[in-house]
Amino acid sequence: MSKFIPVIKQALAFVVIIVAVLISPNLLASGLLSPKESQLLPLTIKHHHVDVLIEDGFATTVVEQEFYNPNATELEALYSFPIPDKAVVGEFSYWINGQQVIAEAVEKNRAKEIYQQQKSQGQSAAVAEKNEHYDFRIRVFPVPSLDTVKIRLVYLQGQLLDHGVGHYVYPLEEGGVDEQAKAFWHRENTVESGFSFNVRVKSGYPIDAMYLPSHPEAHLSNPNGESLGIWQAKLSNSANLESEQDKTPLQLNKDISVYWRLAEGLPARLDMVAYRNTEQSNRGTVKLTFTPGDDLSAITQGRDWVFILDKSGSMDGKYASLLDGVKRGLSRLPKSDRFKIVLFDNNAYALSSSFETATPANVKNAINSVNQHQPSGGTNLYAALEKGLKGLNTDRPTGVVLVTDGEANVGVTERARFLDLIRQQDVRLFTFIMGNGANKPLLVPMTEISNGFAVNISNSDDMYGHIANVSSKLSHLAFQNIKVDVDGTDIKDIVISPTSRLYRGEQLTLMGHYFSSGISNITLTATINGVEKTYKTQVELPEESPEFPELERLWAFSNIEKLAREADYLGETRTETEQAMIDIALEYGLLTDYTSLLVVEEQVFEQLGIERSNLKRVNLERQQRANRENSNADSTRADSQDPMFSSPAPTHSGGGGSLNYLVLFALFGLSISRLRKFRR
């Protein structure tokens, strides 16, 4: 695939317009589930409170909810929560007799059996489990008659910057792809008494601004001064729980999307965060974050494009806008490029027998062809990919753009078949994943195998922010064949992401273990357009660093993802690596495909021989997080004395970027007056 060079920015206009018009606000929200045929009143959500702390390259989200049972009999609560992107749950709690009980990680089938046993005996229990790639599902028993119960869920996410812009999404919208479940369950997603969402961003680098595109009513502030890199945003029921006219409860049916932008002129750099507490273990955990310099040249070469667009039933109501996007996007392709369009529902439809040059006449004919189709049916993604990949010219670089908001449910659905299909072709796949319901476990590995990239799009996102980031990537060369070597004090059990390529504006992370303090020599090598470049520096691994115990869970989750990727790449079934993933999840107290988080009464934990190791881990994380909560935002840069990169970090306003400073603020919805307000 070395011959392929990412697309020039003119071609991006097509992709961007298509993605921008696919946003739909009419999705189900997360919430309590009740059988639709039940004669009982559904449980209600009394309170929903969210606190988010984003610091030093990762985010911690704490969710607390109270459920109310309006019936004269005790009931079971089933709660559904969309799976956030790359989130790992390590803390789940349920209050029993007014006392908080913290869950332990247990193999999934065993946890389900224990929960059902406790429920049948009338004993209090709760379990949180992963429902494939759809959502986290939490079961709680009992919810007493005319009374409330309380749960707490805490999850971690690696939080990376792109072109100096940070992005966080609190997901509330369900994907809505499970038609059988939708037909059976009633979903209660309103909050009757109280809702709050507080996010605090701490950065060792100055923050220029924060922006919540779908929630302009949020209160924004930088209470400790902009130079310290601390900003926060708050939403609460006082602002939007009840309308002044009808006093209706708040509907939690819209994701909360948060952006923040670092100051201009920051250097390319290597940052380091470490955790080591020798009183507990000699093993430390380190996270290195590489922000390369602006060494990637802009490109101008023409190429072939295959646009594969979802027209299944879930696209109903969006198809007219799709047609307009096709028309405007195709008209912006350079004449040196060629294109082919494939639409798909239950079947796949190629709108031409071969590639066509991007002339006005060909574009007009393509639009007329697209006009003949309307959204309907299921999602035969395999047939669409197979048809789109036929007849490629091996002498021309080819890019495939896939836009979908669902999952493969017609025809071939086995992931191995999809991966084999992509491996056989010398193409880059660029996937735009819409909403919270698409099949990421299928779409992301396909994209990674082709050395393309996948973009997750929330319906509440600022689409122009994604446009700015993707435009820069597709109009510049990429780092390929990335390798990181460590010499001196060893770092073991290394996990690197992304694994093989890095596009302009992206960051690279390395996580691993170390067993002694000292100097490590770090060497990063990568090829740019076939030419190898080398970057070097030194970091000092600390003897003691007790502030970030969460790094252990983040490493464990990254390692589980690595094992899954390796199984996909080698064509292995998940069962061949399943036990290794289970062992890691149990050791680090994680909710995964194979493990659940179980709450029972304390004496039951003892009777079942379940060690309270996650209880100890949670208490340690809470203590350290409280210590960090109100501390200063200190720099984590590790190469200040021996800079790894000579060029500045890429941004949208300099160093060959496609957008200038004022345009970027316009893209993020910030007027000059708001900018002045932020700086006061």
Side-chain angles (χ1 to χ4, degrees):
M1 298 184 184
S2 60
K3 70 181 178 65
F4 186 90
I5 304 174
V7 66
I8 57 178
K9 59 186 176 183
Q10 290 93 332
L12 172 72
F14 183 97
V15 181
V16 163
I17 293 169
I18 296 299
V19 173
V21 301
L22 293 185
I23 297 301
S24 172
N26 299 317
L27 296 178
L28 294 173
S30 64
L32 286 163
L33 305 180
S34 302
K36 287 186 175 180
E37 299 303 319
S38 173
Q39 301 303 309
L40 298 172
L41 295 172
L43 301 176
T44 60
I45 305 173
K46 298 296 290 184
H47 298 281
H48 185 145
H49 300 296
V50 185
D51 285 290
V52 185
L53 178 62
I54 301 171
E55 55 179 345
D56 297 311
F58 69 95
T60 304
T61 302
V62 180
V63 184
E64 290 192 357
Q65 293 197 354
E66 285 190 10
F67 305 147
Y68 177 72
N69 178 8
N71 297 282
T73 182
E74 65 181 23
L75 295 175
E76 178 184 42
L78 174 58
Y79 179 72
S80 171
F81 182 78
I83 295 177
D85 187 36
K86 294 187 179 300
V88 53
V89 176
E91 179 183 344
F92 169 59
S93 302
Y94 166 49
W95 273 252
I96 298 177
N97 298 324
Q99 298 296 317
Q100 183 182 14
V101 182
I102 295 170
E104 293 294 333
V106 178
E107 288 192 50
K108 193 170 187 177
N109 289 336
R110 185 188 180 204
K112 185 179 297 185
E113 291 174 2
I114 294 172
Y115 174 81
Q116 292 298 338
Q117 289 172 357
Q118 295 299 303
K119 177 184 172 183
S120 65
Q121 297 170 9
Q123 302 298 314
S124 297
V127 65
E129 62 182 12
K130 188 176 178 182
N131 178 32
E132 296 184 356
H133 60 274
Y134 298 109
D135 53 27
F136 297 124
R137 294 213 167 172
I138 298 170
R139 293 182 181 273
V140 175
F141 179 84
V143 184
S145 168
L146 304 177
D147 203 351
T148 61
V149 296
K150 184 177 179 181
I151 65 169
R152 172 185 168 107
L153 189 74
V154 181
Y155 61 87
L156 306 171
Q157 294 168 282
Q159 197 64 39
L160 299 182
L161 301 171
D162 197 331
H163 287 81
V165 176
H167 184 211
Y168 169 89
V169 175
Y170 181 63
L172 289 167
E173 298 175 4
E174 290 280 6
V177 297
D178 190 342
E179 297 297 329
Q180 184 176 2
K182 286 166 58 179
F184 182 76
W185 295 111
H186 164 79
R187 188 178 304 273
E188 178 60 59
N189 52 44
T190 62
V191 175
E192 294 194 343
S193 298
F195 169 78
S196 66
F197 174 84
N198 302 313
V199 56
R200 183 176 177 87
V201 180
K202 294 176 59 180
S203 169
Y205 305 95
I207 299 173
D208 269 352
M210 180 180 279
Y211 174 45
L212 281 69
S214 296
H215 295 81
E217 73 276 17
H219 174 71
L220 307 179
S221 63
N222 55 340
N224 298 96
E226 185 177 320
S227 62
L228 293 178
I230 298 178
W231 277 74
Q232 62 187 32
K234 294 185 177 183
L235 286 164
S236 69
N237 58 337
S238 61
N240 60 3
L241 176 61
E242 296 179 348
S243 69
E244 289 298 322
Q245 298 176 350
D246 56 16
K247 302 293 183 181
T248 56
L250 171 66
Q251 292 279 344
L252 295 182
N253 58 1
K254 184 166 60 175
D255 292 348
I256 301 175
S257 189
V258 181
Y259 290 90
W260 64 98
R261 191 179 72 95
L262 299 186
E264 291 290 313
L266 295 178
R269 58 199 179 270
L270 174 63
D271 290 285
M272 181 180 75
V273 183
Y275 172 73
R276 192 168 188 239
N277 186 342
T278 55
E279 292 184 0
Q280 296 182 338
S281 172
N282 195 42
R283 182 181 65 190
T285 304
V286 63
K287 179 175 182 284
L288 299 176
T289 303
F290 301 81
T291 306
D294 204 359
D295 295 348
L296 300 172
S297 302
I299 56 175
T300 57
Q301 180 181 352
R303 66 220 65 225
D304 288 346
W305 281 97
V306 182
F307 297 102
I308 301 178
L309 309 174
D310 189 345
K311 63 168 290 290
S312 60
S314 62
M315 296 299 297
D316 189 28
K318 294 173 272 189
Y319 198 65
S321 297
L322 175 67
L323 296 181
D324 183 60
V326 170
K327 180 179 180 179
R328 289 185 289 153
L330 283 176
S331 66
R332 298 189 183 189
L333 287 175
K335 293 182 180 179
S336 59
D337 280 9
R338 304 188 306 177
F339 71 91
K340 180 168 65 173
I341 299 175
V342 175
L343 305 177
F344 67 97
D345 46 34
N346 287 329
N347 300 290
Y349 314 88
L351 302 189
S352 60
S353 59
S354 61
F355 285 97
E356 298 182 331
T357 56
T359 64
N362 287 339
V363 169
K364 181 178 179 180
N365 290 336
I367 297 302
N368 290 337
S369 296
V370 174
N371 260 315
Q372 304 306 311
H373 299 269
Q374 294 299 320
S376 64
T379 306
N380 196 337
L381 175 57
Y382 187 88
L385 285 169
E386 193 173 41
K387 188 175 289 289
L389 294 174
K390 284 184 178 179
L392 302 183
N393 187 335
T394 57
D395 294 329
R396 289 174 64 92
T398 303
V400 178
V401 175
L402 169 63
V403 183
T404 182
D405 66 348
E407 69 173 289
N409 55 24
V410 177
V412 175
T413 59
E414 296 85 359
R415 178 166 52 179
R417 293 280 300 277
F418 282 89
L419 300 179
D420 287 341
L421 180 63
I422 296 299
R423 286 193 191 99
Q424 295 168 12
Q425 303 294 334
D426 188 10
V427 297
R428 293 288 190 268
L429 175 63
F430 304 105
T431 306
F432 292 81
I433 304 173
M434 311 303 300
N436 298 324
N439 190 347
K440 295 178 185 177
L442 169 64
L443 298 173
V444 173
M446 284 197 305
T447 305
E448 291 178 341
I449 283 176
S450 76
N451 285 329
F453 60 79
V455 179
N456 295 287
I457 309 293
S458 166
N459 295 328
S460 296
D461 274 349
D462 184 328
M463 289 305 304
Y464 290 109
H466 286 287
I467 290 170
N469 288 338
V470 176
S471 175
S472 180
K473 292 177 176 59
L474 298 187
S475 59
H476 287 73
L477 297 171
F479 293 102
Q480 303 285 352
N481 305 316
I482 297 169
K483 183 179 180 181
V484 180
D485 290 318
V486 180
D487 186 26
T489 301
D490 284 342
I491 300 177
K492 306 288 188 180
D493 308 325
I494 289 176
V495 182
I496 298 176
S497 180
T499 56
S500 58
R501 57 90 191 105
L502 194 69
Y503 288 93
R504 186 174 187 264
E506 290 184 323
Q507 293 179 308
L508 179 78
T509 62
L510 179 153
M511 295 197 72
H513 291 143
Y514 70 98
F515 295 86
S516 62
S517 60
I519 300 297
S520 285
N521 300 303
I522 308 296
T523 302
L524 170 67
T525 58
T527 56
I528 304 175
N529 202 23
V531 179
E532 185 173 277
K533 295 201 67 172
T534 301
Y535 307 91
K536 296 182 178 182
T537 192
Q538 292 184 334
V539 299
E540 184 172 1
L541 301 176
E543 176 71 19
E544 291 286 334
S545 182
E547 293 86 2
F548 296 97
E550 296 93 339
L551 291 181
E552 293 191 329
R553 291 199 206 259
L554 289 170
W555 172 86
F557 182 66
S558 296
N559 202 31
I560 290 172
E561 286 194 313
K562 175 186 175 183
L563 291 170
R565 283 196 304 268
E566 290 174 349
D568 289 336
Y569 185 79
L570 296 173
E572 298 174 354
T573 61
R574 285 297 180 93
T575 55
E576 295 175 14
T577 54
E578 181 177 325
Q579 191 57 52
M581 291 188 279
I582 290 174
D583 291 343
I584 295 171
L586 293 178
E587 179 181 357
Y588 291 91
L590 306 183
L591 172 56
T592 69
D593 290 312
Y594 309 106
T595 55
S596 299
L597 292 179
L598 174 71
V599 174
V600 291
E601 297 190 35
E602 288 293 347
Q603 66 269 23
V604 178
F605 277 125
E606 184 175 353
Q607 293 167 4
L608 295 172
I610 298 175
E611 185 180 351
R612 300 294 270 130
S613 56
N614 198 48
L615 171 63
K616 298 175 183 177
R617 187 180 292 275
V618 166
N619 287 335
L620 177 62
E621 290 174 344
R622 289 185 181 182
Q623 177 185 344
Q624 292 298 333
R625 191 160 60 245
N627 293 340
R628 302 193 311 263
E629 183 81 32
N630 298 310
S631 63
N632 291 333
D634 297 324
S635 174
T636 57
R637 185 172 181 183
D639 67 337
S640 298
Q641 301 301 317
D642 183 19
M644 193 169 201
F645 308 100
S646 57
S647 303
T651 66
H652 292 296
S653 60
S658 58
L659 303 169
N660 63 38
Y661 187 83
L662 294 179
V663 170
L664 181 61
F665 270 102
L667 293 180
F668 276 84
L670 300 173
S671 65
I672 297 300
S673 61
R674 288 189 70 187
L675 175 59
R676 293 193 183 112
K677 177 182 177 182
F678 282 148
R679 292 194 179 279
R680 283 200 293 267

